[in-house]
Amino acid sequence: MNSSKNFPIWHPFTQHAVLPDMVHITGGEGAYLTTKDGRRIFDGVSSWWVVTHGHCHPKIINAIKEQAGRLDQVIFAGHTHDPAEQLAERLLELTPSTLNHVFFSDSGSTSVEVALKMALGYWQNIGNKDRTRIIVLENGYHGDTIGTMSVGERGVYNAAYEPLMFDVTSIPFPAPNDDDATLAALEKACKAGDVAAFIVEPLVLGAGGMLMYSPDTLGQMKAVCEAHDVLFIADEVMTGWGRTGSMFACEIAGIEPDIACYSKGITGGSLPLAVTLCRSEIFQAHYSTDRSKTFFHSSSYTANPIACAAAVANLEIWRDEPVLDRIAGLAGMQHEWLVRIGDDERFENTRQCGTITAMDLKVRDEGYLSNVGPKLYAFFQERNLLLRPLGNTIYVLPPYCTTQADLDNVYGAITDAAEAFA
Ligand SMILES: *Cc1c(COP(=O)(O)O)cnc(C)c1O
C-alpha cells in the first residue's frame, strides 16, 4: 500500500487505497470537463448535482467577475448589500407564498442545520418546549455534519459517529403504489405531541439511492403534518432548480412547506451558497426586544456578495432563457432511453423524475458497498464519462445543455456495462 505521505490532499467520500489516482481537471464548458492529459469527459452527474445550465455559463461568470471587482466580502450581521437584497427579493417571488424570510448560509448541510434550529427555536420561543423531536423518512440524506447525519439514514458511512448523533423517529419509505404504512407511521409519530418538525427530500431521495415516490404521497405527508401542527421542512437542496421538471419539486405536489432549503443549483453550480426560507410565524417567534430570542446562527461567509451575484445571474438565466423547455426536452430524451433500458432484463427498478433517471444493475451483492460500484465507475471513466454509481444503482443526472448525442453515448456505455458486469 502507498504510504500516506503520497496523499497530501484527503478527498471527500474517497477511499484512497482503492482509488489512488485523481482525475486532474483543468477546464469546464457546457456539459464537458477537460483533463490535464487532454481528454474531454461528459459530466453525467452535473459535478455532484450542482451544475444546471452547464459549466462556465458566460452570464454567471461575468456576474462573478463584475462583483469581484466591486465588493468581495462583508460581515452580514448588521450589514447588507445589493446582491443579497436582489437575490432575496427574487427568491421570495419564485418560492411558495408561505415563505417570507430568507436566511443565507454556504452549503446544503448548513441550510438544513439552519432549518432544524429554526424549527426548535420556534417552539422554544413560543413556549412549547416539549416539541423537540424530528421525524425523518427512511433512506434520507441531508448532509454529513453531525446534525444532518442525525436526520439522515444510518449506515456504514456514519456508524463511527453514532454516539454524537441525536435520536429521531424514522418512518418507512413508501412502497410502490402503497403509502399506507408510511402515512400511518407519520400520523402515529405526529400524535405523540413532542414533534418539532418532519424533514423530507421531496419526490427524490438523492444520496439514499435515487429513490423516487409520488407527488400524491408527498401531498399526503404534508397534510398529516398540517393536521398535527408539525412543521414541514422541504430539503430541496438537490431537487431544486429544475431537477425534477419544475423549478421546485414541491410545486409538482402543489404543497407549500413551512421551511425550505435550497443550495446546489442556486448559483448554477458555480460557487457555494445556500438559503433557508421560512414562514412569517417562525421569524416572528424570534422577533423580540428580548435578545435571548435571537436566532443564534451565522457563518463567516454568510451571503458572500460574489456568490449572491452568481445566484442573481442564475435567476436571470431562468427569466431570460427557455430553461423549463430545455428541461422538458432533456426529460423527454431521458425517458426514451429509460424505456429501452426497462426492456433489458439485466436492469430493474428503472425510474425517472424530470431530468433524473436511475436503474439498478442486477448483481449478487447489492447495496451501497456493492463491489460493482467502483468497477462501474472505472468502466465509465475509461469511456470519458463521469458517472458515479451508488453501489449497483446507476443514475444519470446531467446538465440541462446535454444533447441527444451525449445521452446516446452515455446509455450505450451503460448497456455495455451490463454486458460486462450484470
Ligand atoms: C447534497 C445534499 C445536501 C448537503 O449539501 P452540501 O452542499 O453537500 O452540504 C443536503 N440535502 C440534500 C438532499 C442533498 O442532496
Side-chain angles (χ1 to χ4, degrees):
M1 197 181 282
N2 283 300
S3 81
S4 58
K5 74 175 191 303
N6 290 336
F7 298 103
I9 301 179
W10 195 346
H11 288 260
F13 260 84
T14 298
Q15 178 44 271
H16 287 266
V18 179
L19 192 80
D21 302 317
M22 298 301 123
V23 183
H24 198 130
I25 302 298
T26 52
E29 190 187 357
Y32 284 84
L33 296 162
T34 46
T35 66
K36 202 173 179 180
D37 56 9
R39 292 179 297 132
R40 278 181 90 231
I41 295 183
F42 176 73
D43 190 351
V45 299
S46 297
S47 282
W48 249 350
W49 321 344
V50 300
V51 174
T52 51
H53 316 294
H55 287 274
C56 292
H57 191 292
K59 288 179 188 162
I60 294 175
I61 300 305
N62 282 336
I64 291 172
K65 284 183 186 162
E66 274 179 29
Q67 185 56 42
R70 207 175 295 131
L71 174 66
D72 51 354
Q73 164 66 13
V74 65
I75 178 173
F76 206 59
H79 297 74
T80 194
H81 49 75
D82 286 346
E85 294 286 333
Q86 284 169 11
L87 178 57
E89 190 187 321
R90 291 182 195 178
L91 281 170
L92 293 175
E93 282 165 17
L94 286 170
T95 51
S97 59
T98 44
L99 303 172
N100 289 302
H101 304 273
V102 180
F103 193 94
F104 289 95
S105 60
D106 25 43
S107 72
S109 307
T110 50
S111 73
V112 172
E113 297 275 358
V114 164
L116 298 172
K117 286 175 72 172
M118 278 181 179
L120 264 77
Y122 167 75
W123 292 114
Q124 177 84 19
N125 285 354
I126 67 167
N128 205 330
K129 297 185 174 26
D130 295 337
R131 282 191 177 260
T132 56
R133 179 163 282 272
I134 306 292
I135 308 176
V136 307
L137 184 59
E138 183 189 18
N139 296 313
Y141 176 83
H142 302 283
D144 287 321
T145 56
I146 305 294
T148 58
M149 282 192 300
S150 301
V151 294
E153 185 66 15
R154 311 291 168 98
V156 62
Y157 33 83
N158 53 31
Y161 327 116
E162 186 84 43
L164 299 182
M165 293 190 227
F166 56 81
D167 194 27
V168 298
T169 300
S170 178
I171 62 167
F173 186 78
N177 306 316
D178 180 11
D179 57 16
D180 289 355
T182 305
L183 296 173
L186 181 58
E187 177 104 44
K188 183 165 173 247
C190 287
K191 273 187 178 154
D194 62 347
V195 179
F198 171 55
I199 182 165
V200 73
E201 297 162 84
L203 303 186
V204 187
L205 275 57
M210 290 297 160
L211 304 173
M212 302 177 187
Y213 63 95
S214 74
D216 181 60
T217 301
L218 180 58
Q220 306 255 20
M221 293 192 298
K222 174 69 174 71
V224 172
C225 290
E226 222 170 282
H228 296 279
D229 237 0
V230 164
L231 294 173
F232 187 95
I233 305 173
D235 176 356
E236 293 240 25
V237 168
M238 190 278 279
T239 53
W241 310 106
R243 269 298 150 207
T244 63
S246 283
M247 186 175 260
F248 302 115
C250 283
E251 291 171 7
I252 297 174
I255 59 161
E256 306 200 318
D258 300 307
I259 303 177
C261 309
Y262 309 104
S263 184
K264 294 202 165 113
I266 193 171
T267 59
S270 61
L271 284 173
L273 184 71
V275 289
T276 309
L277 273 62
C278 72
R279 300 178 71 98
S280 294
E281 289 89 330
I282 295 167
F283 177 83
Q284 287 302 329
H286 292 83
Y287 183 78
S288 167
T289 49
D290 174 357
R291 285 165 61 206
S292 72
K293 293 195 169 180
T294 303
F295 185 52
F296 293 109
H297 191 93
S298 77
S299 51
S300 312
Y301 287 97
T302 302
N304 172 261
I306 304 173
C308 288
V312 170
N314 170 45
L315 289 182
E316 281 168 3
I317 293 169
W318 273 89
R319 187 193 59 203
D320 300 338
E321 297 183 18
V323 180
L324 279 177
D325 293 346
R326 236 175 255 157
I327 286 169
L330 174 58
M333 293 187 288
Q334 284 272 65
H335 179 73
E336 276 173 35
W337 262 112
L338 197 68
V339 169
R340 290 163 75 172
I341 294 286
D343 291 338
D344 187 332
E345 57 191 23
R346 295 168 300 188
F347 294 97
E348 58 191 344
N349 305 323
T350 50
R351 50 202 185 270
Q352 177 177 17
C353 186
T355 67
I356 312 167
T357 59
M359 59 225 84
D360 301 343
L361 191 61
K362 285 188 196 162
V363 290
R364 238 172 257 119
D365 65 327
E366 296 186 345
Y368 184 78
L369 285 188
S370 165
N371 281 318
V372 78
K375 287 185 198 156
L376 286 168
Y377 177 77
F379 182 89
F380 294 129
Q381 272 293 341
E382 270 170 36
R383 282 158 184 74
N384 292 332
L385 297 172
L386 170 48
L387 293 179
R388 211 168 179 280
L390 297 158
N392 62 316
T393 298
I394 302 173
Y395 69 88
V396 185
L397 193 155
Y400 306 152
C401 54
T402 296
T403 65
Q404 181 72 53
D406 296 332
L407 285 188
D408 292 350
N409 202 10
V410 166
Y411 286 93
I414 291 175
T415 312
D416 291 346
E419 194 63 42
F421 301 112

